[in-house]
Coordinates of all heavy atoms in Angstrom, one line a residue:
R6 N -94.7 61.0 55.0 CA -95.0 59.6 55.3 C -94.3 58.7 54.2 O -94.1 57.5 54.5 CB -96.5 59.3 55.2 CG -97.3 60.0 56.3 CD -98.8 59.7 56.1 NE -99.6 60.3 57.1 CZ -100.9 60.0 57.3 NH1 -101.5 59.2 56.5 NH2 -101.6 60.7 58.3
S7 N -94.1 59.2 53.0 CA -93.6 58.4 51.9 C -92.2 57.7 52.2 O -91.2 58.4 52.6 CB -93.5 59.2 50.6 OG -92.9 58.4 49.6
Y8 N -92.2 56.4 52.0 CA -90.9 55.7 52.2 C -90.3 55.1 50.9 O -89.2 54.7 50.9 CB -91.2 54.4 53.1 CG -92.3 53.6 52.6 CD1 -92.1 52.6 51.6 CD2 -93.6 53.7 53.1 CE1 -93.2 51.8 51.2 CE2 -94.6 53.0 52.7 CZ -94.4 52.0 51.7 OH -95.5 51.2 51.3
A9 N -91.0 55.4 49.8 CA -90.5 54.8 48.6 C -89.1 55.3 48.1 O -88.3 54.4 47.8 CB -91.6 55.1 47.5
E10 N -88.9 56.5 48.1 CA -87.6 57.1 47.6 C -86.5 56.7 48.6 O -85.5 56.3 48.1 CB -87.7 58.6 47.5 CG -88.6 59.0 46.3 CD -88.7 60.5 46.1 OE1 -87.9 61.2 46.8 OE2 -89.5 61.0 45.3
A11 N -86.8 56.7 49.8 CA -85.7 56.1 50.8 C -85.4 54.7 50.6 O -84.2 54.3 50.5 CB -86.3 56.4 52.2
F12 N -86.4 53.9 50.4 CA -86.2 52.5 50.0 C -85.4 52.3 48.8 O -84.4 51.5 48.7 CB -87.5 51.7 49.8 CG -88.1 51.3 51.1 CD1 -87.8 51.9 52.3 CD2 -89.1 50.3 51.1 CE1 -88.4 51.5 53.5 CE2 -89.7 50.0 52.3 CZ -89.3 50.5 53.5
A13 N -85.7 53.1 47.7 CA -85.0 52.9 46.5 C -83.5 53.3 46.5 O -82.7 52.8 45.7 CB -85.7 53.8 45.4
A14 N -83.3 54.2 47.5 CA -81.9 54.6 47.7 C -81.0 53.9 48.7 O -79.9 54.2 48.9 CB -81.9 56.2 48.1
F15 N -81.6 52.9 49.3 CA -80.8 52.1 50.3 C -79.6 51.5 49.7 O -79.6 50.8 48.6 CB -81.8 51.0 50.9 CG -82.7 51.4 51.9 CD1 -83.7 50.5 52.3 CD2 -82.6 52.6 52.5 CE1 -84.7 51.0 53.3 CE2 -83.5 53.0 53.5 CZ -84.6 52.1 53.9
P16 N -78.4 51.7 50.3 CA -77.2 51.1 49.7 C -77.1 49.7 49.8 O -76.3 49.1 49.0 CB -76.1 51.8 50.6 CG -76.8 52.2 51.8 CD -78.2 52.5 51.5
R17 N -77.8 49.0 50.8 CA -77.6 47.6 50.9 C -78.9 46.7 50.7 O -78.9 45.6 51.0 CB -77.2 47.3 52.4 CG -75.9 48.0 52.8 CD -75.5 47.7 54.2 NE -74.6 48.6 54.8 CZ -74.4 49.0 56.0 NH1 -75.1 48.4 57.0 NH2 -73.4 49.8 56.4
V18 N -79.9 47.3 50.2 CA -81.2 46.6 50.0 C -81.8 47.0 48.6 O -81.6 48.1 48.1 CB -82.2 47.1 51.0 CG1 -83.5 46.4 50.8 CG2 -81.7 46.7 52.4
S19 N -82.3 45.9 47.9 CA -83.0 46.2 46.6 C -84.4 45.6 46.8 O -84.6 44.5 47.2 CB -82.2 45.5 45.5 OG -83.0 45.5 44.4
W20 N -85.4 46.3 46.3 CA -86.8 45.9 46.3 C -87.3 45.8 44.7 O -88.4 45.9 44.5 CB -87.7 46.9 46.9 CG -87.3 47.0 48.4 CD1 -86.5 47.9 49.0 CD2 -87.9 46.3 49.4 NE1 -86.5 47.7 50.4 CE2 -87.4 46.7 50.7 CE3 -88.9 45.3 49.5 CZ2 -87.7 46.2 51.9 CZ3 -89.2 44.8 50.8 CH2 -88.7 45.2 51.9
S21 N -86.3 45.6 43.8 CA -86.6 45.7 42.4 C -87.7 44.6 42.1 O -87.7 43.5 42.4 CB -85.3 45.4 41.6 OG -85.5 45.3 40.3
G22 N -88.7 45.2 41.3 CA -89.7 44.4 40.8 C -90.8 44.1 41.7 O -91.8 43.4 41.4
H23 N -90.8 44.6 43.0 CA -91.8 44.3 44.0 C -92.6 45.5 44.3 O -92.1 46.4 44.7 CB -91.0 43.8 45.3 CG -92.0 43.1 46.2 ND1 -92.2 41.8 46.4 CD2 -92.8 43.8 47.2 CE1 -93.1 41.6 47.4 NE2 -93.4 42.8 47.9
C24 N -93.9 45.4 44.1 CA -94.8 46.4 44.4 C -94.9 46.6 45.9 O -95.2 45.7 46.6 CB -96.3 46.2 43.8 SG -97.4 47.6 44.2
M25 N -94.7 47.8 46.4 CA -94.7 48.2 47.8 C -96.0 48.9 48.2 O -96.1 49.4 49.4 CB -93.4 49.0 48.1 CG -92.2 48.4 47.9 SD -91.9 46.8 48.7 CE -91.9 47.3 50.4
Y26 N -97.0 49.0 47.3 CA -98.2 49.7 47.4 C -98.0 51.2 48.0 O -98.7 51.7 48.7 CB -99.0 49.0 48.5 CG -99.3 47.5 48.2 CD1 -98.9 46.6 49.2 CD2 -99.7 47.1 47.0 CE1 -99.1 45.3 48.9 CE2 -99.8 45.7 46.7 CZ -99.6 44.8 47.7 OH -99.7 43.4 47.4
C27 N -96.9 51.8 47.5 CA -96.5 53.1 47.9 C -97.1 54.2 47.3 O -97.1 55.4 47.7 CB -95.0 53.2 47.8 SG -94.4 53.4 46.1
T28 N -97.9 54.0 46.1 CA -98.6 54.9 45.3 C -97.8 56.0 44.6 O -98.3 56.9 44.1 CB -99.7 55.6 46.2 OG1 -99.1 56.6 47.0 CG2 -100.6 54.6 46.9
H29 N -96.5 55.8 44.5 CA -95.7 56.7 43.7 C -96.1 56.7 42.2 O -95.7 57.6 41.4 CB -94.2 56.4 43.8 CG -93.6 57.3 44.9 ND1 -94.0 57.3 46.2 CD2 -92.5 58.0 44.8 CE1 -93.3 58.2 46.9 NE2 -92.3 58.6 46.1
C30 N -96.7 55.6 41.8 CA -97.1 55.4 40.4 C -98.3 56.4 40.0 O -98.7 56.6 38.9 CB -97.5 54.0 40.1 SG -98.7 53.3 41.2
H31 N -99.0 56.9 41.1 CA -100.1 57.7 40.9 C -99.7 59.3 40.5 O -98.6 59.6 40.9 CB -101.0 57.8 42.1 CG -101.6 56.5 42.4 ND1 -102.4 56.2 43.5 CD2 -101.6 55.2 41.8 CE1 -102.7 54.9 43.6 NE2 -102.3 54.3 42.5
P32 N -100.5 60.0 39.9 CA -101.8 59.8 39.4 C -101.9 59.1 38.0 O -100.9 59.3 37.2 CB -102.5 61.2 39.3 CG -101.3 62.0 39.0 CD -100.2 61.5 39.8
C33 N -102.8 58.3 37.7 CA -103.0 57.6 36.4 C -103.8 58.4 35.5 O -104.9 59.0 36.0 CB -103.5 56.2 36.7 SG -104.2 55.4 35.2
P34 N -103.4 58.6 34.3 CA -104.2 59.3 33.2 C -105.8 58.7 33.2 O -106.6 59.5 32.9 CB -103.5 59.2 31.9 CG -102.1 59.0 32.4 CD -102.2 58.1 33.6
A35 N -105.8 57.4 33.5 CA -107.1 56.7 33.3 C -107.8 56.8 34.7 O -108.8 56.2 34.9 CB -107.0 55.4 32.8
E36 N -107.2 57.4 35.7 CA -107.7 57.5 37.1 C -107.8 56.1 37.7 O -108.6 56.0 38.7 CB -109.0 58.3 37.1 CG -108.8 59.7 36.6 CD -110.2 60.5 36.7 OE1 -111.1 60.0 37.2 OE2 -110.1 61.7 36.3
I37 N -107.0 55.2 37.4 CA -107.0 53.9 38.1 C -106.2 54.0 39.3 O -105.1 54.6 39.5 CB -106.4 52.8 37.1 CG1 -107.0 52.6 35.8 CG2 -106.2 51.5 37.9 CD1 -106.3 51.9 34.8
N38 N -106.8 53.4 40.5 CA -106.0 53.3 41.7 C -105.1 52.1 41.5 O -105.5 50.9 41.9 CB -107.0 53.1 42.9 CG -106.2 53.2 44.2 OD1 -105.2 52.7 44.3 ND2 -106.8 53.8 45.2
I39 N -104.0 52.4 41.0 CA -103.0 51.2 40.6 C -102.6 50.4 41.8 O -102.5 49.2 41.8 CB -101.7 51.8 39.9 CG1 -102.1 52.5 38.7 CG2 -100.8 50.7 39.6 CD1 -101.1 53.3 38.0
A40 N -102.3 51.1 43.0 CA -101.9 50.3 44.2 C -103.0 49.4 44.6 O -102.7 48.2 45.0 CB -101.5 51.2 45.2
D41 N -104.3 49.8 44.6 CA -105.4 48.9 45.1 C -105.6 47.7 44.1 O -105.8 46.6 44.4 CB -106.7 49.6 45.2 CG -106.7 50.4 46.6 OD1 -105.8 50.2 47.4 OD2 -107.6 51.2 46.8
V42 N -105.6 48.1 42.8 CA -105.8 47.0 41.8 C -104.6 46.0 41.9 O -105.0 44.7 41.9 CB -105.7 47.6 40.3 CG1 -105.6 46.5 39.3 CG2 -106.9 48.4 40.1
T43 N -103.3 46.4 42.1 CA -102.3 45.5 42.3 C -102.5 44.6 43.6 O -102.2 43.5 43.6 CB -100.9 46.3 42.3 OG1 -100.9 47.1 41.2 CG2 -99.8 45.3 42.4
K44 N -102.9 45.2 44.6 CA -103.1 44.5 45.9 C -104.2 43.5 45.7 O -104.0 42.3 46.1 CB -103.5 45.5 47.0 CG -103.7 44.7 48.4 CD -103.7 45.7 49.5 CE -104.9 46.5 49.6 NZ -105.2 47.2 50.8
F45 N -105.3 43.8 45.1 CA -106.4 42.8 44.9 C -106.0 41.7 43.9 O -106.4 40.6 44.1 CB -107.7 43.5 44.4 CG -108.2 44.6 45.4 CD1 -108.8 45.7 44.9 CD2 -108.1 44.4 46.8 CE1 -109.3 46.7 45.8 CE2 -108.6 45.3 47.6 CZ -109.2 46.5 47.1
L46 N -105.2 42.0 42.9 CA -104.6 41.0 42.1 C -103.8 40.1 42.9 O -103.9 38.8 42.7 CB -103.8 41.7 41.0 CG -102.8 40.8 40.2 CD1 -103.6 39.9 39.3 CD2 -101.9 41.7 39.3
N47 N -102.8 40.6 43.7 CA -102.0 39.7 44.5 C -102.7 38.9 45.5 O -102.3 37.7 45.6 CB -100.9 40.6 45.2 CG -99.9 41.2 44.3 OD1 -99.7 40.8 43.2 ND2 -99.3 42.3 44.8
L48 N -103.7 39.4 46.1 CA -104.5 38.7 47.0 C -105.3 37.5 46.3 O -105.4 36.4 46.8 CB -105.5 39.6 47.7 CG -105.0 40.6 48.7 CD1 -106.0 41.7 49.2 CD2 -104.4 39.8 49.9
A49 N -105.8 37.9 45.2 CA -106.6 36.8 44.4 C -105.6 35.6 44.0 O -106.0 34.4 44.2 CB -107.2 37.3 43.2
V50 N -104.4 36.0 43.5 CA -103.5 35.0 43.1 C -103.0 34.1 44.3 O -103.0 33.0 44.3 CB -102.3 35.6 42.4 CG1 -101.2 34.6 42.2 CG2 -102.7 36.2 41.1
A51 N -102.8 34.8 45.4 CA -102.3 34.2 46.6 C -103.4 33.2 47.2 O -102.9 32.1 47.6 CB -101.9 35.2 47.7
H52 N -104.6 33.6 47.1 CA -105.7 32.8 47.6 C -105.7 31.4 46.8 O -105.8 30.4 47.4 CB -107.1 33.4 47.5 CG -108.2 32.6 47.8 ND1 -108.6 32.5 49.2 CD2 -109.0 31.9 47.0 CE1 -109.7 31.6 49.1 NE2 -109.9 31.3 47.9
N53 N -105.6 31.6 45.5 CA -105.6 30.3 44.7 C -104.4 29.5 44.9 O -104.4 28.3 45.0 CB -105.8 30.7 43.2 CG -107.3 31.1 42.9 OD1 -108.0 30.2 42.6 ND2 -107.6 32.4 43.1

């Protein structure tokens, strides 16, 4: 299912700096669900 590595290797497209909620950053040593935290952060900022 993972699309992250395919995206990162696209020859004509760059997603640099943009969280895609792909969860490749997991697992976290502190067991944080980084993708969900980032999503809720983005939603809170967007709402305001």
